[in-house]
Structure formats: structure tokens, C-alpha cells
Short mmCIF file of all heavy atoms in Angstrom, two decimals:
data_model
loop_
_atom_site.label_atom_id
_atom_site.label_comp_id
_atom_site.label_asym_id
_atom_site.label_seq_id
_atom_site.Cartn_x
_atom_site.Cartn_y
_atom_site.Cartn_z
N MET L 1 85.76 105.19 102.09
CA MET L 1 87.04 104.80 101.57
C MET L 1 87.49 103.55 102.29
O MET L 1 87.01 103.24 103.37
CB MET L 1 88.03 105.94 101.69
CG MET L 1 88.61 106.16 103.06
SD MET L 1 89.69 107.58 103.13
CE MET L 1 88.75 108.79 102.30
N LYS L 2 88.43 102.83 101.64
CA LYS L 2 88.90 101.57 102.20
C LYS L 2 90.42 101.58 102.32
O LYS L 2 91.11 102.09 101.45
CB LYS L 2 88.51 100.40 101.32
CG LYS L 2 87.05 100.10 101.32
CD LYS L 2 86.76 98.86 100.52
CE LYS L 2 85.26 98.55 100.58
NZ LYS L 2 84.95 97.30 99.92
N LEU L 3 90.89 100.99 103.40
CA LEU L 3 92.30 100.67 103.54
C LEU L 3 92.46 99.23 103.08
O LEU L 3 91.72 98.35 103.52
CB LEU L 3 92.73 100.82 104.99
CG LEU L 3 94.18 100.44 105.28
CD1 LEU L 3 95.13 101.45 104.63
CD2 LEU L 3 94.43 100.35 106.77
N ASN L 4 93.39 99.00 102.17
CA ASN L 4 93.58 97.67 101.58
C ASN L 4 94.97 97.15 101.86
O ASN L 4 95.93 97.93 101.92
CB ASN L 4 93.41 97.76 100.06
CG ASN L 4 92.09 98.38 99.67
OD1 ASN L 4 91.08 97.70 99.57
ND2 ASN L 4 92.08 99.68 99.45
N TRP L 5 95.09 95.84 102.00
CA TRP L 5 96.40 95.21 102.17
C TRP L 5 96.30 93.75 101.77
O TRP L 5 95.22 93.20 101.65
CB TRP L 5 96.90 95.35 103.60
CG TRP L 5 96.15 94.55 104.60
CD1 TRP L 5 96.47 93.31 105.09
CD2 TRP L 5 94.92 94.90 105.26
NE1 TRP L 5 95.53 92.88 106.00
CE2 TRP L 5 94.57 93.85 106.13
CE3 TRP L 5 94.09 96.02 105.21
CZ2 TRP L 5 93.43 93.87 106.92
CZ3 TRP L 5 92.94 96.02 106.00
CH2 TRP L 5 92.63 94.97 106.83
N VAL L 6 97.47 93.16 101.54
CA VAL L 6 97.54 91.73 101.26
C VAL L 6 98.18 91.08 102.47
O VAL L 6 99.29 91.43 102.87
CB VAL L 6 98.37 91.45 99.99
CG1 VAL L 6 98.53 89.95 99.77
CG2 VAL L 6 97.72 92.09 98.78
N ALA L 7 97.45 90.15 103.07
CA ALA L 7 97.94 89.48 104.27
C ALA L 7 99.18 88.67 103.96
O ALA L 7 99.26 88.02 102.92
CB ALA L 7 96.85 88.58 104.85
N GLY L 8 100.15 88.71 104.86
CA GLY L 8 101.36 87.94 104.61
C GLY L 8 102.39 88.04 105.71
O GLY L 8 103.51 87.60 105.54
N GLY L 9 102.03 88.63 106.82
CA GLY L 9 102.97 88.77 107.93
C GLY L 9 103.29 87.45 108.60
O GLY L 9 102.66 86.42 108.34
N TRP L 10 104.26 87.48 109.46
CA TRP L 10 104.72 86.27 110.14
C TRP L 10 103.61 85.61 110.97
O TRP L 10 103.61 84.40 111.17
CB TRP L 10 105.93 86.58 111.03
CG TRP L 10 105.60 87.54 112.14
CD1 TRP L 10 105.71 88.89 112.10
CD2 TRP L 10 105.09 87.22 113.43
NE1 TRP L 10 105.30 89.45 113.28
CE2 TRP L 10 104.91 88.44 114.12
CE3 TRP L 10 104.76 86.04 114.08
CZ2 TRP L 10 104.43 88.49 115.43
CZ3 TRP L 10 104.27 86.10 115.39
CH2 TRP L 10 104.11 87.31 116.04
N ASN L 11 102.66 86.40 111.44
CA ASN L 11 101.59 85.85 112.28
C ASN L 11 100.31 85.57 111.51
O ASN L 11 99.27 85.31 112.09
CB ASN L 11 101.30 86.79 113.46
CG ASN L 11 100.83 88.15 113.00
OD1 ASN L 11 100.96 88.51 111.84
ND2 ASN L 11 100.31 88.93 113.92
N THR L 12 100.38 85.61 110.18
CA THR L 12 99.21 85.33 109.33
C THR L 12 99.12 83.83 109.08
O THR L 12 100.08 83.23 108.61
CB THR L 12 99.34 86.06 107.98
OG1 THR L 12 99.50 87.46 108.21
CG2 THR L 12 98.13 85.82 107.10
N PRO L 13 97.97 83.22 109.38
CA PRO L 13 97.80 81.79 109.07
C PRO L 13 97.99 81.54 107.58
O PRO L 13 97.65 82.39 106.74
CB PRO L 13 96.36 81.50 109.49
CG PRO L 13 96.00 82.58 110.45
CD PRO L 13 96.78 83.79 110.02
N ASP L 14 98.52 80.40 107.22
CA ASP L 14 98.82 80.07 105.82
C ASP L 14 97.60 80.23 104.91
O ASP L 14 97.74 80.62 103.76
CB ASP L 14 99.37 78.64 105.70
CG ASP L 14 100.80 78.54 106.20
OD1 ASP L 14 101.48 79.59 106.29
OD2 ASP L 14 101.24 77.42 106.51
N THR L 15 96.40 79.94 105.43
CA THR L 15 95.20 80.03 104.59
C THR L 15 94.88 81.47 104.19
O THR L 15 94.15 81.68 103.22
CB THR L 15 93.98 79.43 105.31
OG1 THR L 15 93.83 80.07 106.58
CG2 THR L 15 94.13 77.95 105.51
N PHE L 16 95.42 82.47 104.92
CA PHE L 16 95.15 83.87 104.62
C PHE L 16 96.32 84.58 103.93
O PHE L 16 96.18 85.71 103.49
CB PHE L 16 94.78 84.64 105.88
CG PHE L 16 93.48 84.21 106.48
CD1 PHE L 16 93.43 83.59 107.71
CD2 PHE L 16 92.28 84.40 105.79
CE1 PHE L 16 92.22 83.18 108.26
CE2 PHE L 16 91.07 84.00 106.33
CZ PHE L 16 91.05 83.38 107.57
N LYS L 17 97.48 83.94 103.84
CA LYS L 17 98.63 84.57 103.22
C LYS L 17 98.36 84.82 101.73
O LYS L 17 97.90 83.93 101.03
CB LYS L 17 99.88 83.72 103.41
CG LYS L 17 100.43 83.83 104.80
CD LYS L 17 101.77 83.18 104.95
CE LYS L 17 102.23 83.40 106.38
NZ LYS L 17 103.51 82.81 106.67
N GLY L 18 98.63 86.03 101.29
CA GLY L 18 98.42 86.40 99.90
C GLY L 18 97.00 86.81 99.56
O GLY L 18 96.71 87.18 98.44
N VAL L 19 96.10 86.77 100.53
CA VAL L 19 94.69 87.11 100.30
C VAL L 19 94.48 88.61 100.55
O VAL L 19 94.87 89.13 101.59
CB VAL L 19 93.77 86.29 101.24
CG1 VAL L 19 92.32 86.71 101.09
CG2 VAL L 19 93.95 84.81 101.00
N PRO L 20 93.90 89.33 99.59
CA PRO L 20 93.62 90.76 99.79
C PRO L 20 92.58 90.96 100.90
O PRO L 20 91.60 90.22 100.98
CB PRO L 20 93.06 91.22 98.45
CG PRO L 20 93.43 90.16 97.47
CD PRO L 20 93.54 88.88 98.25
N HIS L 21 92.79 91.96 101.73
CA HIS L 21 91.88 92.34 102.80
C HIS L 21 91.58 93.83 102.67
O HIS L 21 92.35 94.57 102.06
CB HIS L 21 92.51 92.08 104.17
CG HIS L 21 92.62 90.65 104.53
ND1 HIS L 21 93.46 89.77 103.89
CD2 HIS L 21 92.01 89.95 105.50
CE1 HIS L 21 93.36 88.58 104.44
NE2 HIS L 21 92.48 88.65 105.42
N SER L 22 90.49 94.27 103.28
CA SER L 22 90.19 95.70 103.31
C SER L 22 89.30 96.00 104.51
O SER L 22 88.63 95.11 105.04
CB SER L 22 89.51 96.16 102.02
OG SER L 22 88.23 95.58 101.89
N VAL L 23 89.33 97.25 104.93
CA VAL L 23 88.46 97.72 106.00
C VAL L 23 87.96 99.11 105.62
O VAL L 23 88.70 99.91 105.03
CB VAL L 23 89.19 97.72 107.37
CG1 VAL L 23 90.34 98.69 107.38
CG2 VAL L 23 88.24 97.98 108.51
N ASN L 24 86.69 99.38 105.90
CA ASN L 24 86.08 100.67 105.58
C ASN L 24 86.39 101.71 106.64
O ASN L 24 86.44 101.40 107.83
CB ASN L 24 84.56 100.53 105.47
CG ASN L 24 84.14 99.76 104.26
OD1 ASN L 24 84.66 99.96 103.17
ND2 ASN L 24 83.22 98.84 104.43
N PHE L 25 86.57 102.96 106.20
CA PHE L 25 86.72 104.10 107.08
C PHE L 25 85.71 105.15 106.65
O PHE L 25 85.47 105.33 105.46
CB PHE L 25 88.14 104.68 107.00
CG PHE L 25 89.15 103.88 107.78
CD1 PHE L 25 89.79 102.80 107.19
CD2 PHE L 25 89.45 104.20 109.09
CE1 PHE L 25 90.71 102.06 107.90
CE2 PHE L 25 90.37 103.47 109.80
CZ PHE L 25 91.01 102.39 109.21
N ASP L 26 85.14 105.86 107.63
CA ASP L 26 84.14 106.88 107.34
C ASP L 26 84.76 108.17 106.79
O ASP L 26 84.10 108.92 106.08
CB ASP L 26 83.33 107.21 108.59
CG ASP L 26 82.48 106.04 109.04
OD1 ASP L 26 82.06 105.24 108.18
OD2 ASP L 26 82.25 105.91 110.25
N SER L 27 86.01 108.43 107.16
CA SER L 27 86.64 109.67 106.72
C SER L 27 88.14 109.47 106.58
O SER L 27 88.73 108.55 107.16
CB SER L 27 86.37 110.80 107.72
OG SER L 27 87.05 110.52 108.94
N LEU L 28 88.76 110.36 105.84
CA LEU L 28 90.20 110.34 105.69
C LEU L 28 90.88 110.61 107.03
O LEU L 28 91.90 110.01 107.36
CB LEU L 28 90.63 111.39 104.66
CG LEU L 28 92.12 111.47 104.36
CD1 LEU L 28 92.66 110.13 103.88
CD2 LEU L 28 92.38 112.55 103.33
N GLU L 29 90.28 111.47 107.83
CA GLU L 29 90.85 111.80 109.13
C GLU L 29 90.90 110.57 110.04
O GLU L 29 91.89 110.35 110.73
CB GLU L 29 90.04 112.92 109.81
CG GLU L 29 90.18 114.26 109.14
CD GLU L 29 89.33 114.38 107.88
OE1 GLU L 29 88.32 113.63 107.71
OE2 GLU L 29 89.69 115.20 107.02
N SER L 30 89.85 109.75 110.04
CA SER L 30 89.85 108.56 110.89
C SER L 30 90.87 107.53 110.40
O SER L 30 91.54 106.88 111.20
CB SER L 30 88.46 107.95 110.99
OG SER L 30 88.00 107.49 109.74
N LEU L 31 91.02 107.42 109.09
CA LEU L 31 92.02 106.51 108.54
C LEU L 31 93.42 106.98 108.93
O LEU L 31 94.25 106.19 109.37
CB LEU L 31 91.89 106.45 107.02
CG LEU L 31 92.83 105.49 106.32
CD1 LEU L 31 92.12 104.84 105.14
CD2 LEU L 31 94.08 106.16 105.86
N MET L 32 93.69 108.28 108.79
CA MET L 32 95.01 108.81 109.13
C MET L 32 95.30 108.66 110.62
O MET L 32 96.43 108.35 111.01
CB MET L 32 95.10 110.28 108.70
CG MET L 32 95.12 110.43 107.19
SD MET L 32 95.01 112.13 106.61
CE MET L 32 96.49 112.83 107.30
N LYS L 33 94.30 108.84 111.46
CA LYS L 33 94.48 108.69 112.91
C LYS L 33 94.86 107.25 113.24
O LYS L 33 95.77 106.99 114.03
CB LYS L 33 93.20 109.08 113.65
CG LYS L 33 93.32 109.00 115.14
CD LYS L 33 92.04 109.47 115.81
CE LYS L 33 92.15 109.36 117.32
NZ LYS L 33 90.92 109.77 117.98
N THR L 34 94.19 106.30 112.61
CA THR L 34 94.49 104.88 112.84
C THR L 34 95.88 104.53 112.33
O THR L 34 96.68 103.91 113.04
CB THR L 34 93.45 103.99 112.13
OG1 THR L 34 92.17 104.24 112.72
CG2 THR L 34 93.78 102.52 112.27
N MET L 35 96.20 104.95 111.12
CA MET L 35 97.48 104.57 110.52
C MET L 35 98.66 105.28 111.17
O MET L 35 99.79 104.81 111.08
CB MET L 35 97.46 104.84 109.02
CG MET L 35 96.52 103.93 108.24
SD MET L 35 96.78 102.16 108.56
CE MET L 35 98.35 101.90 107.75
N SER L 36 98.42 106.38 111.88
CA SER L 36 99.52 107.06 112.56
C SER L 36 100.05 106.24 113.73
O SER L 36 101.11 106.53 114.27
CB SER L 36 99.07 108.44 113.06
OG SER L 36 98.15 108.31 114.12
N LYS L 37 99.33 105.17 114.08
CA LYS L 37 99.74 104.28 115.17
C LYS L 37 100.28 102.95 114.65
O LYS L 37 100.54 102.04 115.43
CB LYS L 37 98.55 104.02 116.09
CG LYS L 37 97.95 105.28 116.68
CD LYS L 37 96.67 104.99 117.39
CE LYS L 37 96.00 106.29 117.78
NZ LYS L 37 94.62 106.11 118.15
N CYS L 38 100.44 102.84 113.34
CA CYS L 38 100.81 101.57 112.72
C CYS L 38 102.13 101.66 111.97
O CYS L 38 102.60 102.73 111.65
CB CYS L 38 99.72 101.15 111.73
SG CYS L 38 98.10 100.92 112.45
N THR L 39 102.69 100.49 111.69
CA THR L 39 103.86 100.39 110.83
C THR L 39 103.37 100.20 109.40
O THR L 39 102.47 99.40 109.16
CB THR L 39 104.71 99.18 111.24
OG1 THR L 39 105.10 99.34 112.60
CG2 THR L 39 105.95 99.05 110.38
N TYR L 40 103.96 100.92 108.46
CA TYR L 40 103.57 100.77 107.06
C TYR L 40 104.02 99.42 106.53
O TYR L 40 105.17 99.03 106.67
CB TYR L 40 104.19 101.91 106.23
CG TYR L 40 103.88 101.79 104.76
CD1 TYR L 40 102.62 102.13 104.29
CD2 TYR L 40 104.83 101.33 103.86
CE1 TYR L 40 102.32 102.02 102.94
CE2 TYR L 40 104.55 101.23 102.52
CZ TYR L 40 103.29 101.56 102.06
OH TYR L 40 102.99 101.46 100.73
N ASN L 41 103.09 98.70 105.91
CA ASN L 41 103.39 97.38 105.36
C ASN L 41 102.82 97.21 103.95
O ASN L 41 102.31 96.15 103.61
CB ASN L 41 102.83 96.29 106.27
CG ASN L 41 103.62 96.14 107.53
OD1 ASN L 41 104.84 95.97 107.50
ND2 ASN L 41 102.95 96.23 108.68
N GLY L 42 102.86 98.27 103.16
CA GLY L 42 102.40 98.17 101.78
C GLY L 42 100.91 98.38 101.58
O GLY L 42 100.37 98.06 100.53
N GLU L 43 100.22 98.95 102.56
CA GLU L 43 98.79 99.20 102.43
C GLU L 43 98.53 100.28 101.39
O GLU L 43 99.39 101.08 101.08
CB GLU L 43 98.20 99.67 103.78
CG GLU L 43 98.31 98.67 104.89
CD GLU L 43 99.60 98.77 105.68
OE1 GLU L 43 100.52 99.52 105.29
OE2 GLU L 43 99.70 98.10 106.72
N TRP L 44 97.30 100.30 100.88
CA TRP L 44 96.89 101.37 99.95
C TRP L 44 95.43 101.70 100.21
O TRP L 44 94.70 100.94 100.84
CB TRP L 44 97.13 100.96 98.49
CG TRP L 44 96.27 99.85 97.99
CD1 TRP L 44 95.11 99.96 97.28
CD2 TRP L 44 96.50 98.45 98.14
NE1 TRP L 44 94.61 98.73 96.98
CE2 TRP L 44 95.45 97.77 97.50
CE3 TRP L 44 97.49 97.68 98.76
CZ2 TRP L 44 95.35 96.38 97.47
CZ3 TRP L 44 97.39 96.29 98.73
CH2 TRP L 44 96.34 95.67 98.08
N VAL L 45 95.02 102.88 99.74
CA VAL L 45 93.67 103.41 100.00
C VAL L 45 92.91 103.48 98.69
O VAL L 45 93.46 103.88 97.67
CB VAL L 45 93.76 104.80 100.66
CG1 VAL L 45 92.36 105.37 100.91
CG2 VAL L 45 94.55 104.73 101.96
N THR L 46 91.62 103.09 98.72
CA THR L 46 90.76 103.21 97.56
C THR L 46 89.48 103.94 97.93
O THR L 46 89.04 103.92 99.08
CB THR L 46 90.39 101.83 96.97
OG1 THR L 46 89.83 101.01 97.99
CG2 THR L 46 91.62 101.13 96.40
N ASP L 47 88.87 104.57 96.92
CA ASP L 47 87.59 105.24 97.14
C ASP L 47 86.46 104.23 97.01
O ASP L 47 86.69 103.03 96.83
CB ASP L 47 87.42 106.43 96.20
CG ASP L 47 87.35 106.05 94.73
OD1 ASP L 47 87.15 104.86 94.40
OD2 ASP L 47 87.49 106.96 93.89
N SER L 48 85.23 104.71 97.09
CA SER L 48 84.06 103.82 97.07
C SER L 48 83.89 103.08 95.74
O SER L 48 83.19 102.08 95.67
CB SER L 48 82.79 104.62 97.38
OG SER L 48 82.60 105.62 96.40
N LYS L 49 84.56 103.58 94.69
CA LYS L 49 84.47 102.92 93.38
C LYS L 49 85.67 102.01 93.10
O LYS L 49 85.78 101.45 92.03
CB LYS L 49 84.36 103.98 92.28
CG LYS L 49 83.08 104.79 92.38
CD LYS L 49 83.01 105.82 91.29
CE LYS L 49 81.73 106.63 91.45
NZ LYS L 49 81.65 107.69 90.46
N GLY L 50 86.56 101.89 94.09
CA GLY L 50 87.72 101.03 93.93
C GLY L 50 88.92 101.70 93.30
O GLY L 50 89.93 101.06 93.06
N ASN L 51 88.82 103.03 93.07
CA ASN L 51 89.96 103.77 92.50
C ASN L 51 90.99 104.04 93.59
O ASN L 51 90.64 104.45 94.70
CB ASN L 51 89.49 105.10 91.91
CG ASN L 51 88.50 104.90 90.80
OD1 ASN L 51 88.73 104.09 89.90
ND2 ASN L 51 87.39 105.62 90.85
N ARG L 52 92.24 103.83 93.25
CA ARG L 52 93.32 104.05 94.20
C ARG L 52 93.48 105.54 94.48
O ARG L 52 93.47 106.36 93.57
CB ARG L 52 94.61 103.47 93.65
CG ARG L 52 95.66 103.26 94.69
CD ARG L 52 96.80 102.45 94.09
NE ARG L 52 97.71 102.07 95.14
CZ ARG L 52 98.32 100.92 95.20
NH1 ARG L 52 98.12 100.03 94.27
NH2 ARG L 52 99.13 100.64 96.19
N ILE L 53 93.62 105.91 95.76
CA ILE L 53 93.82 107.29 96.17
C ILE L 53 95.29 107.47 96.50
O ILE L 53 95.87 106.68 97.24
CB ILE L 53 92.96 107.62 97.42
CG1 ILE L 53 91.47 107.49 97.07
CG2 ILE L 53 93.29 108.99 97.95
CD1 ILE L 53 90.55 107.63 98.25
N ASP L 54 95.89 108.52 95.93
CA ASP L 54 97.30 108.79 96.17
C ASP L 54 97.46 109.46 97.53
O ASP L 54 97.13 110.64 97.69
CB ASP L 54 97.84 109.69 95.05
CG ASP L 54 99.33 109.91 95.16
OD1 ASP L 54 100.03 109.06 95.77
OD2 ASP L 54 99.81 110.93 94.63
N ILE L 55 97.95 108.71 98.50
CA ILE L 55 98.17 109.22 99.85
C ILE L 55 99.46 108.59 100.38
O ILE L 55 99.73 107.42 100.13
CB ILE L 55 96.96 108.90 100.77
CG1 ILE L 55 97.16 109.48 102.15
CG2 ILE L 55 96.66 107.43 100.81
CD1 ILE L 55 95.94 109.37 103.05
N ASP L 56 100.25 109.37 101.06
CA ASP L 56 101.55 108.92 101.57
C ASP L 56 101.37 108.20 102.90
O ASP L 56 101.64 108.76 103.96
CB ASP L 56 102.49 110.11 101.70
CG ASP L 56 103.86 109.72 102.20
OD1 ASP L 56 104.21 108.52 102.15
OD2 ASP L 56 104.60 110.61 102.66
N LEU L 57 100.92 106.95 102.85
CA LEU L 57 100.73 106.20 104.09
C LEU L 57 102.04 105.97 104.82
O LEU L 57 102.09 105.97 106.04
CB LEU L 57 100.06 104.85 103.80
CG LEU L 57 98.58 104.91 103.44
CD1 LEU L 57 98.07 103.53 103.08
CD2 LEU L 57 97.77 105.49 104.58
N ARG L 58 103.12 105.78 104.08
CA ARG L 58 104.43 105.59 104.72
C ARG L 58 104.78 106.81 105.58
O ARG L 58 105.30 106.69 106.68
CB ARG L 58 105.51 105.37 103.68
CG ARG L 58 106.87 105.02 104.25
CD ARG L 58 107.94 104.88 103.20
NE ARG L 58 107.63 103.90 102.17
CZ ARG L 58 107.92 102.61 102.22
NH1 ARG L 58 108.54 102.13 103.27
NH2 ARG L 58 107.61 101.81 101.25
N GLY L 59 104.46 108.00 105.08
CA GLY L 59 104.74 109.23 105.82
C GLY L 59 103.81 109.43 107.01
O GLY L 59 104.16 110.13 107.96
N ILE L 60 102.64 108.85 106.97
CA ILE L 60 101.64 109.00 108.04
C ILE L 60 101.91 108.02 109.19
O ILE L 60 101.69 108.35 110.35
CB ILE L 60 100.23 108.76 107.47
CG1 ILE L 60 99.86 109.88 106.52
CG2 ILE L 60 99.20 108.63 108.59
CD1 ILE L 60 98.61 109.60 105.69
N CYS L 61 102.40 106.85 108.86
CA CYS L 61 102.56 105.80 109.86
C CYS L 61 103.60 106.18 110.92
O CYS L 61 104.63 106.77 110.64
CB CYS L 61 102.95 104.49 109.20
SG CYS L 61 101.61 103.80 108.23
N LEU L 62 103.27 105.80 112.17
CA LEU L 62 104.13 105.99 113.34
C LEU L 62 104.56 107.44 113.55
O LEU L 62 105.71 107.72 113.85
CB LEU L 62 105.34 105.06 113.27
CG LEU L 62 105.01 103.58 113.45
CD1 LEU L 62 106.28 102.75 113.32
CD2 LEU L 62 104.35 103.30 114.78
N LYS L 63 103.60 108.35 113.40
CA LYS L 63 103.89 109.77 113.69
C LYS L 63 103.42 110.10 115.08
O LYS L 63 102.51 109.60 115.58
CB LYS L 63 103.19 110.66 112.69
CG LYS L 63 103.92 110.65 111.37
CD LYS L 63 103.48 111.82 110.55
CE LYS L 63 104.44 111.91 109.38
NZ LYS L 63 104.34 113.09 108.67
#
């Protein structure tokens, strides 16, 4: 599965602003563990075929 986001934060270089990014995770548990230490910024999760997975990342972040 992949965590996806569009770069656009204050510290993002102009060449990367608006560009979609993603990172692979081996399991849902590892993704949730990582995101529990982060601030939610509009990220979304997709499966290996690119289908969006319904998961409450906002509820997981900063727990």
C-alpha cells in the first residue's frame, strides 16, 4: 500500500509544490504507526492497484 500526498508545505521547494508524492508501506500497521507521529495534511492511502482505501488518517495522526 502507498501513502500519497501533494507537496505544498511552507518548506517545499517551488519545483516540488503541487507534485504528487507517495511512499510504500509493507503493512497497514506500519503505516498507522508512522502516521500516529505526524500531523494530518490531506494524505490518502491507496492499494497496489491505485485504488483509494478508506481510512481515517486524520483520526490516526498525533495519537
Side-chain angles (χ1 to χ4, degrees):
M1 78 184 47
K2 290 185 178 185
L3 177 69
N4 305 274
W5 69 96
V6 175
W10 63 268
N11 61 346
T12 303
D14 286 340
T15 55
F16 293 114
K17 284 189 179 180
V19 176
H21 287 68
S22 66
V23 64
N24 289 316
F25 282 87
D26 294 330
S27 68
L28 181 57
E29 291 78 22
S30 63
L31 183 144
M32 291 172 62
K33 182 177 179 182
T34 297
M35 292 307 290
S36 70
K37 302 171 189 165
C38 300
T39 302
Y40 177 76
N41 287 307
E43 298 89 351
W44 68 96
V45 179
T46 55
D47 64 15
S48 61
K49 295 180 182 177
N51 299 312
R52 198 170 189 142
I53 297 174
D54 186 24
I55 182 172
D56 181 17
L57 287 176
R58 186 183 304 271
I60 292 168
C61 291
L62 291 178
K63 283 197 169 192

